[in-house]
Amino acid sequence: MSEAMARDYDAIIIGAGVIGVCTGFELAKRGFRTLNVDKLPAAGYGSTSNTCAIIRLHYSTPDGVAMARESYFYWLDWGKYVGVPDPSGLARYVNTGCLVTKTEKNHYLQRVKESLDELHVAYEDLDAEGMTEKLSVLDTRQFGPPVTEEDPGFGRPSGGNVAGALYIPESGYINDPQLCCHNVQLGCEAHGGEFRFNTEVTEILREDGRVAGVRLKDGSEVRAPVVVNVGGPHSFVINRMAGVEEGMNIKTRALKQEVCHVPAPEGVDYNVVGMLISDSDIGCYSRPEVGNHILIGSEDPPCDDLEWVEDPDDYDNTFSYQWRTQVLREAQRVKGLPVPEARQGLVDLYDVSDDWIPIYDKSDLPGFYMAVGTSGNQFKNAPVAGQLMAELIEAVEDGRDHDADPVQFHMKYTRRDCDLGFFSRLRTMNPDSSYSVIG
């Protein structure tokens, strides 16, 4: 980077969700003078605050398991990672275990088992009877593949019992995702990082053929030789602003998502006996929630219409028919689950890439980087995502041609190297992706 370029900071990070704050934190720890800017009032205030904050280890590739496993160790010792006290308290990991149903769609989890084995992650291989021994309220009949409520077969068993499930005991969720972001913000500030909220970027500045900073909505400019797009559902807007979208083979879009919040079955203490459930037979995932409730999200089965949003600042943020569909699907599996008339839960946007795998990469504009397409499946990986982005940025700014010679990031806990070329904007569509939130 040109030392003659006027600068206010070494790096500007657009976004202060969980990936944004971790990226700023890791750069600040490496000596970068960082500024996170976010149009919302506080860190983690956007889609991060409305995530289910699930921490799980099951993936169909060893590399996917390795990255989740690496991050898992940071969540287990969150205070050590953050490094400073927070008067508001620390976010807490809640271990519940995870039950993943075997279906034809997920190849009966054979590849998942092989990948877990390679990383020495413990699991139990259960038949239908073993599933009910883990959670007695389960109805283990097969209902899939999922159909819409208008289908005559909706809610009716489509066969005998499901083929079984894997139970992975080291799985759970973070109790307060917004507090988690505040924790990391304080850690970043302890290393000199700065944050500006209620601050909207309207232009990506260029100078001498590379990025030079940003212009804000109030007309002021902030100069830096590195700008990182971690804009969540606004990521595609920022990429267009920077003029880099045409150079990307994989792009991102904003997708509306609904998460249902319903009471547990009567007489069941779900906060004690409940667990994460990933169930492609019914097309839903779920987890316990405080107050003896259950959160239910969609695994986006092919029968459902996906609602892509062209303007992330202007979309219908009310519940649709999808809310009732998800609850009814979950009620197929969880016996006695109520289907309330009053709809409660969350409506927000996911930042989704074309193959549902994130983009952690440079761009065709020197100095402009991207950590995008992360919504729905990358919360769990945030500490590692911040580190690999810092590693990538340092390497490229030092002259490495990442497109020709991808950066290798070493994960200290799993003792594996991660080829960052896997997350390239130039990759072809990954045929092994689930093309869903499960990732």
Side-chain angles (χ1 to χ4, degrees):
M1 66 185 71
S2 170
E3 291 300 321
M5 181 184 291
R7 65 174 74 180
D8 301 306
Y9 298 92
D10 297 320
I12 298 168
I13 300 93
I14 303 175
V18 67
I19 306 287
V21 293
C22 287
T23 299
F25 185 31
E26 295 298 335
L27 285 170
K29 287 195 287 187
R30 293 174 183 235
F32 282 69
R33 291 179 298 122
T34 63
L35 173 67
N36 282 72
V37 296
D38 198 296
K39 66 192 298 184
L40 295 172
Y45 205 81
S47 56
T48 291
S49 65
N50 287 334
T51 179
C52 289
I54 286 173
I55 309 298
R56 50 108 175 170
L57 303 181
H58 62 277
Y59 279 83
S60 59
T61 65
D63 288 339
V65 174
M67 193 168 179
R69 183 68 162 164
E70 184 78 7
S71 296
Y72 179 72
F73 292 111
Y74 291 94
W75 296 114
L76 284 183
D77 199 354
W78 186 241
K80 180 181 178 182
Y81 172 68
V82 173
V84 295
D86 186 335
S88 301
L90 289 175
R92 182 171 54 88
Y93 168 67
V94 180
N95 197 88
T96 63
C98 182
L99 197 70
V100 191
T101 304
K102 295 178 181 179
T103 65
E104 182 179 1
K105 179 184 178 184
N106 60 32
H107 308 286
Y108 301 102
L109 300 177
Q110 185 57 42
R111 286 185 288 188
V112 172
K113 288 196 292 183
E114 293 168 358
S115 299
L116 293 173
D117 287 339
E118 185 167 327
L119 271 294
H120 308 291
V121 175
Y123 62 87
E124 298 177 43
D125 195 345
L126 307 174
D127 58 14
E129 184 179 352
M131 292 171 66
T132 56
E133 289 175 359
K134 285 291 178 190
L135 187 56
S136 61
V137 295
L138 293 182
D139 183 336
T140 58
R141 291 177 295 175
Q142 180 179 329
F143 293 92
V147 294
T148 61
E149 195 175 347
E150 292 75 26
D151 191 290
F154 185 84
R156 296 180 180 177
S158 56
N161 285 329
V162 294
L166 294 187
Y167 175 73
I168 301 100
E170 294 176 291
S171 303
Y173 63 93
I174 300 304
N175 70 324
D176 190 333
Q178 189 174 344
L179 177 60
C180 148
C181 291
H182 189 260
N183 297 159
V184 181
Q185 177 188 339
L186 293 189
C188 184
E189 289 173 337
H191 288 271
E194 297 181 24
F195 289 77
R196 294 189 197 177
F197 298 108
N198 298 307
T199 301
E200 184 175 349
V201 172
T202 57
E203 184 181 345
I204 305 299
L205 302 177
R206 296 172 178 240
E207 186 176 300
D208 299 329
R210 63 170 294 129
V211 77
V214 298
R215 178 170 285 112
L216 305 177
K217 191 172 184 178
D218 64 6
S220 64
E221 295 182 358
V222 185
R223 311 284 290 187
V226 168
V227 173
V228 191
N229 177 6
V230 202
H234 290 78
S235 71
F236 74 96
V237 177
I238 298 165
N239 281 337
R240 290 174 186 174
M241 199 183 293
V244 302
E245 193 179 50
E246 289 305 309
M248 301 168 63
N249 194 49
I250 301 292
K251 299 178 175 63
T252 61
R253 292 185 289 173
L255 176 65
K256 179 180 175 179
Q257 288 280 305
E258 301 178 35
V259 175
C260 315
H261 183 264
V262 299
E266 187 175 353
V268 177
D269 190 344
Y270 209 76
N271 289 122
V272 173
V273 303
M275 59 190 65
L276 305 181
I277 302 176
S278 171
D279 196 334
S280 56
D281 180 66
I282 60 171
C284 287
Y285 67 91
S286 61
R287 74 158 173 84
E289 178 62 309
V290 294
N292 203 28
H293 281 72
I294 303 177
L295 292 182
I296 306 164
S298 175
E299 293 191 358
D300 302 304
C303 63
D304 287 2
D305 294 325
L306 300 183
E307 187 174 339
W308 300 101
V309 172
E310 291 301 318
D311 183 353
D313 291 317
D314 182 18
Y315 70 98
D316 181 3
N317 62 357
T318 61
F319 293 112
S320 69
Y321 66 89
Q322 183 67 26
W323 188 95
R324 175 179 164 84
T325 299
Q326 287 172 203
V327 177
L328 286 172
R329 283 177 177 156
E330 189 72 12
Q332 295 168 2
R333 186 68 68 223
V334 180
K335 292 184 287 188
L337 186 74
V339 184
E341 287 298 320
R343 300 177 180 184
Q344 292 184 309
L346 308 168
V347 179
D348 213 319
L349 300 178
Y350 278 175
D351 178 30
V352 179
S353 76
D354 294 332
D355 59 5
W356 282 82
I357 294 169
I359 301 168
Y360 298 130
D361 202 3
K362 64 186 282 293
S363 72
D364 291 349
L365 175 61
F368 186 83
Y369 298 84
M370 300 174 285
V372 300
T374 58
S375 293
N377 58 37
Q378 289 296 295
F379 180 97
K380 74 185 76 61
N381 291 335
V384 174
Q387 291 181 39
L388 67 83
M389 285 303 298
E391 188 89 0
L392 170 71
I393 291 165
E394 275 201 324
V396 174
E397 293 303 305
D398 284 343
R400 183 161 181 162
D401 184 349
H402 176 60
D403 289 340
D405 181 21
V407 173
Q408 306 296 306
F409 170 69
H410 184 70
M411 295 184 286
K412 65 179 183 180
Y413 289 113
T414 56
R415 300 180 182 178
R416 292 173 66 102
D417 288 332
C418 177
D419 181 356
L420 300 192
F422 176 77
F423 302 107
S424 171
R425 73 201 184 282
L426 304 177
R427 68 180 183 260
T428 56
M429 293 280 282
N430 191 316
D432 295 324
S433 173
S434 68
Y435 295 91
S436 75
V437 64
I438 291 303

